[in-house]
Amino acid sequence: MAMARRSASRLLSSFRPFSLLLQPLDDAPSLSAAAAAASARRGMSSASALRARDEKEVARWRESMDRMRNIGISAHIDSGKTTLTERVLYYTGRIHEIHEVRGRDGVGAKMDSMDLEREKGITIQSAATYCTWNGYQVNIIDTPGHVDFTIEVERALRVLDGAILVLCSVGGVQSQSITVDRQMRRYEIPRVAFINKLDRMGADPWKVLNQIVSGAETPDTQLMARSKLRHHNAAVQVPIGLEEEFEGLVDLVELKAYKFEGGSGQNVVASDVPSNMQDLVMEKRRELIEVVSEVDDQLAEAFLNDEPIQANQLKAAIRRATVARKFIPVYMGSAFKNKGVQPLLDGVLDYLPCPMEVESYALDQNKSEEKVLLAGTPAEPLVALAFKLEEGRFGQLTYLRIYDGVIRKGDFIYNVNTGKKIKVPRLVRMHSNEMEDIQEAHAGQIVAVFGVDCASGDTFTDGSVKYTMTSMNVPEPVMSLAVSPISKDSGGQFSKALNRFQKEDPTFRVGLDPESGETIISGMGELHLDIYVERIRREYKVDAKVGKPRVNFRETVTQRAEFDYLHKKQSGGQGQYGRVCGYIEPLPSESDGKFEFDNMIIGQAIPSNFIPAIEKGFKEACNSGSLIGHPVENIRIVLTDGASHAVDSSELAFKLASIYAFRQCYAAARPVILEPVMKVELKVPTEFQGTVTGDMNKRKGIIVGNDQEGDDTVVVCHVPLNNMFGYSTALRSMTQGKGEFSMEYLEHNTVSQDVQMQLVNTYKASRGTE
């Protein structure tokens, strides 16, 4: 709020030059004193009117932004995110009928607009919409829960001010819940939690609450993905009944009971707390006050003085603690049964911040990327971030989050990253895959523009400032496939599809295998790549042939090795001469980067203008290790000496000397192969536990956690990705279709000696057959 006041005063101060109108022109000979006084009075009145008008304008902007919330809905796969969003849209009047996920009724959920999403019952792309609740505008982004589409969650959270973390009351804190929570921490997102599916058999919200706090149920520290979020949190509601008997909720702040009546739960009926729940409600309210008191000094003072805590006091304290990211209020309900959604919407308005309460920083390119705090008001120069691209019917659709200023249709804006000046031909607000044309949008809003050519992560301004927003975190791909069109005639459409998907999704990479000439696509997992192959077939009518999945192995060195290489070539005319000496060694484990080059030469043994060419040569050599031809990582190259020739030395000569020097000493550094290791979470009926864990051991998995959850066993293990291909089919056959698993990238780890020998022999054999 203080930031908002500063921005308002800054806006008002920008109009102070009008006070200059009050000063009479002394050197004007025809202007009498009376006329000057009259002119001054007129100037004063017009300046006052102008100032009053601008104060009204500021007040209007302030109120508009106070009544705005930008939120995301994120969770583990199948926790009910899209179902919850569907209810939110229905209760706010954005849609007039409720449709379910998977499109069983032939329509499908509003936010799952892609046919593939409706068939598979999963969200593949994040979708934006907006709605109005109690006079507040709420912009919502519904994100995927599957780890393969994690970039959609990353870029949504990058531009949002708050979030709803959805948890399943039966499954509790699951592996992707941890990943999403980590992403929310990275972008410093205040959030509320919603424990969903209270109507399901085995629902236990209090177990889930304990998992959010500390995970005390599980002693194994590796089982973080099962149970540890380590948050200050407490329930702000208590359910009336559970499972089939779930009827409604008691609000612990207002001490009111709510039931949801009508065909779709649209009528919220308030009543007094049931007499049989009085003790439980007062105990849980005291618990809520205690937890909030630990992170809010004002409430702590009242609590320690044994003063009665009023509802408005508690609400204000919860808001302060939530906005400061010290507390998470926990709501409950069942989106599918239409219960608990309206109080959750009230909680979004009550406890999540408006755009002016969130600190956003930009980097000033004119001042060597100095960090600048953005005011977050329409009074400032335009600053907007392109966070998502889509190829639409009318060209490229670019999603923008406006941090400062105003953008209007027909305005010229500048892409700071490319330096291009662009006209905004069309400005829209998104409602899933539908668009509503608008004339202007101001700070705090999420909009889309057509016909603007840019990349994901580009920053736009009005040209008066040269700010760039910090980019989002993009994880590295872990799996590759060779693809090629079956028909030679469809090569153009095939290339068009790959270019489009690569531009839209930063985790989807396309490359060419230099040895086989095949097109290689890389992504976050089997499902990720399968979806893109299917989209090429459906959207571009191109049938693609898919090769065996390839794992993105890496190579690294384990000990120091010296190099001293002279590259000398004479073939008439200017020759090539370059000598490099030094050593390679593994990078320390705490290093941030994966490649380090240090020039330790004292004196001018090698002229300084050749040093960049030497670094470039070593980098190029690291692109392909000699063991299996995969990139070399975690390596430090130190240049200690060398020699040059006055005539024959050149950048090319030193670059080639570096490449050959690296190859010469690489074997002496005892290289090893690194493979991607996945964190796999299995949930299977207890009767199949032995079979499934035995199969995991065969796949060289390390079991790090085993937990009982009702009739199911939850197993967490670390398994090499190379051993996980086709696992979904194997798991179904082992568990009669009752088992499920989720998988996410953990790290690259050294392979065993026998696997290394096998990979090296396979690589040599493939080279020999060419």
Side-chain angles (χ1 to χ4, degrees), residues 283-303:
E283 179 198 329
K284 292 295 178 186
R285 189 175 199 264
R286 183 174 176 81
E287 200 177 291
L288 168 65
I289 292 168
E290 280 181 17
V291 175
V292 179
S293 297
E294 288 176 23
V295 290
D296 185 79
D297 293 340
Q298 289 182 41
L299 190 70
E301 194 175 328
F303 177 64

PDB file of all heavy atoms in Angstrom, residues 283-303:
ATOM      1  N   GLU A 283     -11.656 -24.754  19.263  1.00  0.00           N
ATOM      2  CA  GLU A 283     -10.275 -25.258  19.355  1.00  0.00           C
ATOM      3  C   GLU A 283      -9.496 -24.886  18.079  1.00  0.00           C
ATOM      4  O   GLU A 283      -8.356 -24.413  18.152  1.00  0.00           O
ATOM      5  CB  GLU A 283     -10.318 -26.778  19.526  1.00  0.00           C
ATOM      6  CG  GLU A 283      -8.934 -27.421  19.599  1.00  0.00           C
ATOM      7  CD  GLU A 283      -8.981 -28.932  19.320  1.00  0.00           C
ATOM      8  OE1 GLU A 283     -10.009 -29.580  19.645  1.00  0.00           O
ATOM      9  OE2 GLU A 283      -7.993 -29.432  18.767  1.00  0.00           O
ATOM     10  N   LYS A 284     -10.141 -25.099  16.929  1.00  0.00           N
ATOM     11  CA  LYS A 284      -9.466 -24.811  15.651  1.00  0.00           C
ATOM     12  C   LYS A 284      -9.298 -23.296  15.448  1.00  0.00           C
ATOM     13  O   LYS A 284      -8.330 -22.855  14.834  1.00  0.00           O
ATOM     14  CB  LYS A 284     -10.247 -25.416  14.479  1.00  0.00           C
ATOM     15  CG  LYS A 284     -10.243 -26.935  14.451  1.00  0.00           C
ATOM     16  CD  LYS A 284      -8.848 -27.479  14.223  1.00  0.00           C
ATOM     17  CE  LYS A 284      -8.801 -28.994  14.238  1.00  0.00           C
ATOM     18  NZ  LYS A 284      -7.417 -29.515  14.154  1.00  0.00           N
ATOM     19  N   ARG A 285     -10.233 -22.491  15.971  1.00  0.00           N
ATOM     20  CA  ARG A 285     -10.100 -21.034  15.845  1.00  0.00           C
ATOM     21  C   ARG A 285      -8.915 -20.547  16.693  1.00  0.00           C
ATOM     22  O   ARG A 285      -8.133 -19.702  16.266  1.00  0.00           O
ATOM     23  CB  ARG A 285     -11.384 -20.331  16.278  1.00  0.00           C
ATOM     24  CG  ARG A 285     -11.370 -18.821  15.961  1.00  0.00           C
ATOM     25  CD  ARG A 285     -12.701 -18.177  16.287  1.00  0.00           C
ATOM     26  NE  ARG A 285     -12.839 -16.907  15.587  1.00  0.00           N
ATOM     27  CZ  ARG A 285     -12.558 -15.712  16.110  1.00  0.00           C
ATOM     28  NH1 ARG A 285     -12.106 -15.632  17.352  1.00  0.00           N
ATOM     29  NH2 ARG A 285     -12.730 -14.612  15.400  1.00  0.00           N
ATOM     30  N   ARG A 286      -8.799 -21.126  17.885  1.00  0.00           N
ATOM     31  CA  ARG A 286      -7.675 -20.737  18.743  1.00  0.00           C
ATOM     32  C   ARG A 286      -6.341 -21.129  18.089  1.00  0.00           C
ATOM     33  O   ARG A 286      -5.372 -20.391  18.129  1.00  0.00           O
ATOM     34  CB  ARG A 286      -7.817 -21.402  20.121  1.00  0.00           C
ATOM     35  CG  ARG A 286      -6.721 -20.970  21.086  1.00  0.00           C
ATOM     36  CD  ARG A 286      -6.934 -21.513  22.486  1.00  0.00           C
ATOM     37  NE  ARG A 286      -5.817 -21.141  23.349  1.00  0.00           N
ATOM     38  CZ  ARG A 286      -5.660 -19.970  23.938  1.00  0.00           C
ATOM     39  NH1 ARG A 286      -6.571 -19.027  23.770  1.00  0.00           N
ATOM     40  NH2 ARG A 286      -4.616 -19.725  24.714  1.00  0.00           N
ATOM     41  N   GLU A 287      -6.344 -22.304  17.464  1.00  0.00           N
ATOM     42  CA  GLU A 287      -5.149 -22.778  16.748  1.00  0.00           C
ATOM     43  C   GLU A 287      -4.787 -21.809  15.615  1.00  0.00           C
ATOM     44  O   GLU A 287      -3.617 -21.455  15.429  1.00  0.00           O
ATOM     45  CB  GLU A 287      -5.455 -24.170  16.172  1.00  0.00           C
ATOM     46  CG  GLU A 287      -4.242 -24.989  15.825  1.00  0.00           C
ATOM     47  CD  GLU A 287      -4.667 -26.381  15.343  1.00  0.00           C
ATOM     48  OE1 GLU A 287      -5.161 -27.179  16.171  1.00  0.00           O
ATOM     49  OE2 GLU A 287      -4.503 -26.640  14.140  1.00  0.00           O
ATOM     50  N   LEU A 288      -5.801 -21.351  14.882  1.00  0.00           N
ATOM     51  CA  LEU A 288      -5.600 -20.398  13.786  1.00  0.00           C
ATOM     52  C   LEU A 288      -4.991 -19.096  14.322  1.00  0.00           C
ATOM     53  O   LEU A 288      -4.012 -18.573  13.777  1.00  0.00           O
ATOM     54  CB  LEU A 288      -6.941 -20.118  13.084  1.00  0.00           C
ATOM     55  CG  LEU A 288      -6.986 -18.951  12.096  1.00  0.00           C
ATOM     56  CD1 LEU A 288      -6.092 -19.218  10.892  1.00  0.00           C
ATOM     57  CD2 LEU A 288      -8.432 -18.704  11.615  1.00  0.00           C
ATOM     58  N   ILE A 289      -5.569 -18.590  15.442  1.00  0.00           N
ATOM     59  CA  ILE A 289      -5.080 -17.330  16.021  1.00  0.00           C
ATOM     60  C   ILE A 289      -3.628 -17.488  16.486  1.00  0.00           C
ATOM     61  O   ILE A 289      -2.792 -16.609  16.271  1.00  0.00           O
ATOM     62  CB  ILE A 289      -6.000 -16.883  17.181  1.00  0.00           C
ATOM     63  CG1 ILE A 289      -7.370 -16.475  16.631  1.00  0.00           C
ATOM     64  CG2 ILE A 289      -5.381 -15.733  17.967  1.00  0.00           C
ATOM     65  CD1 ILE A 289      -8.444 -16.303  17.682  1.00  0.00           C
ATOM     66  N   GLU A 290      -3.309 -18.642  17.106  1.00  0.00           N
ATOM     67  CA  GLU A 290      -1.946 -18.890  17.593  1.00  0.00           C
ATOM     68  C   GLU A 290      -0.934 -18.870  16.453  1.00  0.00           C
ATOM     69  O   GLU A 290       0.123 -18.244  16.543  1.00  0.00           O
ATOM     70  CB  GLU A 290      -1.874 -20.252  18.306  1.00  0.00           C
ATOM     71  CG  GLU A 290      -2.383 -20.221  19.728  1.00  0.00           C
ATOM     72  CD  GLU A 290      -2.267 -21.584  20.403  1.00  0.00           C
ATOM     73  OE1 GLU A 290      -1.508 -22.438  19.880  1.00  0.00           O
ATOM     74  OE2 GLU A 290      -2.922 -21.801  21.422  1.00  0.00           O
ATOM     75  N   VAL A 291      -1.276 -19.581  15.355  1.00  0.00           N
ATOM     76  CA  VAL A 291      -0.334 -19.688  14.224  1.00  0.00           C
ATOM     77  C   VAL A 291      -0.127 -18.322  13.574  1.00  0.00           C
ATOM     78  O   VAL A 291       1.005 -17.938  13.268  1.00  0.00           O
ATOM     79  CB  VAL A 291      -0.841 -20.722  13.187  1.00  0.00           C
ATOM     80  CG1 VAL A 291       0.067 -20.726  11.961  1.00  0.00           C
ATOM     81  CG2 VAL A 291      -0.893 -22.105  13.796  1.00  0.00           C
ATOM     82  N   VAL A 292      -1.220 -17.547  13.396  1.00  0.00           N
ATOM     83  CA  VAL A 292      -1.092 -16.225  12.776  1.00  0.00           C
ATOM     84  C   VAL A 292      -0.326 -15.281  13.714  1.00  0.00           C
ATOM     85  O   VAL A 292       0.465 -14.448  13.263  1.00  0.00           O
ATOM     86  CB  VAL A 292      -2.475 -15.643  12.401  1.00  0.00           C
ATOM     87  CG1 VAL A 292      -2.326 -14.255  11.790  1.00  0.00           C
ATOM     88  CG2 VAL A 292      -3.191 -16.553  11.416  1.00  0.00           C
ATOM     89  N   SER A 293      -0.529 -15.434  15.030  1.00  0.00           N
ATOM     90  CA  SER A 293       0.181 -14.580  16.012  1.00  0.00           C
ATOM     91  C   SER A 293       1.689 -14.751  15.928  1.00  0.00           C
ATOM     92  O   SER A 293       2.449 -13.826  16.217  1.00  0.00           O
ATOM     93  CB  SER A 293      -0.272 -14.917  17.433  1.00  0.00           C
ATOM     94  OG  SER A 293      -1.643 -14.628  17.588  1.00  0.00           O
ATOM     95  N   GLU A 294       2.126 -15.953  15.537  1.00  0.00           N
ATOM     96  CA  GLU A 294       3.570 -16.211  15.439  1.00  0.00           C
ATOM     97  C   GLU A 294       4.218 -15.376  14.342  1.00  0.00           C
ATOM     98  O   GLU A 294       5.431 -15.134  14.378  1.00  0.00           O
ATOM     99  CB  GLU A 294       3.817 -17.698  15.154  1.00  0.00           C
ATOM    100  CG  GLU A 294       3.535 -18.598  16.336  1.00  0.00           C
ATOM    101  CD  GLU A 294       3.702 -20.069  15.971  1.00  0.00           C
ATOM    102  OE1 GLU A 294       4.435 -20.357  15.001  1.00  0.00           O
ATOM    103  OE2 GLU A 294       3.105 -20.918  16.650  1.00  0.00           O
ATOM    104  N   VAL A 295       3.420 -14.943  13.352  1.00  0.00           N
ATOM    105  CA  VAL A 295       4.010 -14.213  12.213  1.00  0.00           C
ATOM    106  C   VAL A 295       3.451 -12.798  12.074  1.00  0.00           C
ATOM    107  O   VAL A 295       3.821 -12.086  11.144  1.00  0.00           O
ATOM    108  CB  VAL A 295       3.782 -14.999  10.891  1.00  0.00           C
ATOM    109  CG1 VAL A 295       4.616 -16.259  10.864  1.00  0.00           C
ATOM    110  CG2 VAL A 295       2.308 -15.307  10.662  1.00  0.00           C
ATOM    111  N   ASP A 296       2.554 -12.385  12.985  1.00  0.00           N
ATOM    112  CA  ASP A 296       1.990 -11.030  12.908  1.00  0.00           C
ATOM    113  C   ASP A 296       2.034 -10.390  14.294  1.00  0.00           C
ATOM    114  O   ASP A 296       1.353 -10.850  15.228  1.00  0.00           O
ATOM    115  CB  ASP A 296       0.553 -11.077  12.379  1.00  0.00           C
ATOM    116  CG  ASP A 296      -0.010  -9.681  12.180  1.00  0.00           C
ATOM    117  OD1 ASP A 296       0.311  -9.042  11.162  1.00  0.00           O
ATOM    118  OD2 ASP A 296      -0.778  -9.220  13.057  1.00  0.00           O
ATOM    119  N   ASP A 297       2.805  -9.322  14.432  1.00  0.00           N
ATOM    120  CA  ASP A 297       3.027  -8.697  15.749  1.00  0.00           C
ATOM    121  C   ASP A 297       1.760  -8.078  16.330  1.00  0.00           C
ATOM    122  O   ASP A 297       1.522  -8.147  17.534  1.00  0.00           O
ATOM    123  CB  ASP A 297       4.115  -7.622  15.644  1.00  0.00           C
ATOM    124  CG  ASP A 297       5.474  -8.225  15.331  1.00  0.00           C
ATOM    125  OD1 ASP A 297       5.625  -9.442  15.570  1.00  0.00           O
ATOM    126  OD2 ASP A 297       6.361  -7.505  14.835  1.00  0.00           O
ATOM    127  N   GLN A 298       0.940  -7.453  15.458  1.00  0.00           N
ATOM    128  CA  GLN A 298      -0.268  -6.781  15.969  1.00  0.00           C
ATOM    129  C   GLN A 298      -1.225  -7.781  16.607  1.00  0.00           C
ATOM    130  O   GLN A 298      -1.764  -7.544  17.693  1.00  0.00           O
ATOM    131  CB  GLN A 298      -0.982  -6.044  14.823  1.00  0.00           C
ATOM    132  CG  GLN A 298      -0.226  -4.819  14.341  1.00  0.00           C
ATOM    133  CD  GLN A 298      -0.992  -4.092  13.249  1.00  0.00           C
ATOM    134  OE1 GLN A 298      -2.219  -3.952  13.317  1.00  0.00           O
ATOM    135  NE2 GLN A 298      -0.269  -3.638  12.233  1.00  0.00           N
ATOM    136  N   LEU A 299      -1.427  -8.932  15.937  1.00  0.00           N
ATOM    137  CA  LEU A 299      -2.325  -9.947  16.501  1.00  0.00           C
ATOM    138  C   LEU A 299      -1.689 -10.592  17.727  1.00  0.00           C
ATOM    139  O   LEU A 299      -2.383 -10.900  18.703  1.00  0.00           O
ATOM    140  CB  LEU A 299      -2.654 -11.013  15.446  1.00  0.00           C
ATOM    141  CG  LEU A 299      -3.764 -11.988  15.842  1.00  0.00           C
ATOM    142  CD1 LEU A 299      -5.114 -11.285  15.874  1.00  0.00           C
ATOM    143  CD2 LEU A 299      -3.840 -13.175  14.895  1.00  0.00           C
ATOM    144  N   ALA A 300      -0.361 -10.763  17.689  1.00  0.00           N
ATOM    145  CA  ALA A 300       0.330 -11.388  18.818  1.00  0.00           C
ATOM    146  C   ALA A 300       0.125 -10.577  20.096  1.00  0.00           C
ATOM    147  O   ALA A 300      -0.094 -11.129  21.174  1.00  0.00           O
ATOM    148  CB  ALA A 300       1.820 -11.517  18.502  1.00  0.00           C
ATOM    149  N   GLU A 301       0.164  -9.242  19.959  1.00  0.00           N
ATOM    150  CA  GLU A 301      -0.003  -8.377  21.126  1.00  0.00           C
ATOM    151  C   GLU A 301      -1.389  -8.567  21.750  1.00  0.00           C
ATOM    152  O   GLU A 301      -1.521  -8.727  22.971  1.00  0.00           O
ATOM    153  CB  GLU A 301       0.185  -6.920  20.690  1.00  0.00           C
ATOM    154  CG  GLU A 301       0.379  -5.963  21.854  1.00  0.00           C
ATOM    155  CD  GLU A 301       0.678  -4.546  21.377  1.00  0.00           C
ATOM    156  OE1 GLU A 301       1.310  -4.387  20.304  1.00  0.00           O
ATOM    157  OE2 GLU A 301       0.259  -3.613  22.077  1.00  0.00           O
ATOM    158  N   ALA A 302      -2.411  -8.578  20.883  1.00  0.00           N
ATOM    159  CA  ALA A 302      -3.783  -8.767  21.393  1.00  0.00           C
ATOM    160  C   ALA A 302      -3.940 -10.161  21.998  1.00  0.00           C
ATOM    161  O   ALA A 302      -4.595 -10.343  23.034  1.00  0.00           O
ATOM    162  CB  ALA A 302      -4.778  -8.565  20.253  1.00  0.00           C
ATOM    163  N   PHE A 303      -3.334 -11.160  21.371  1.00  0.00           N
ATOM    164  CA  PHE A 303      -3.448 -12.551  21.826  1.00  0.00           C
ATOM    165  C   PHE A 303      -2.772 -12.731  23.185  1.00  0.00           C
ATOM    166  O   PHE A 303      -3.325 -13.362  24.095  1.00  0.00           O
ATOM    167  CB  PHE A 303      -2.821 -13.474  20.763  1.00  0.00           C
ATOM    168  CG  PHE A 303      -2.803 -14.934  21.136  1.00  0.00           C
ATOM    169  CD1 PHE A 303      -3.981 -15.637  21.303  1.00  0.00           C
ATOM    170  CD2 PHE A 303      -1.594 -15.592  21.339  1.00  0.00           C
ATOM    171  CE1 PHE A 303      -3.960 -16.973  21.650  1.00  0.00           C
ATOM    172  CE2 PHE A 303      -1.570 -16.930  21.687  1.00  0.00           C
ATOM    173  CZ  PHE A 303      -2.761 -17.628  21.844  1.00  0.00           C
TER     174      PHE A 303
END
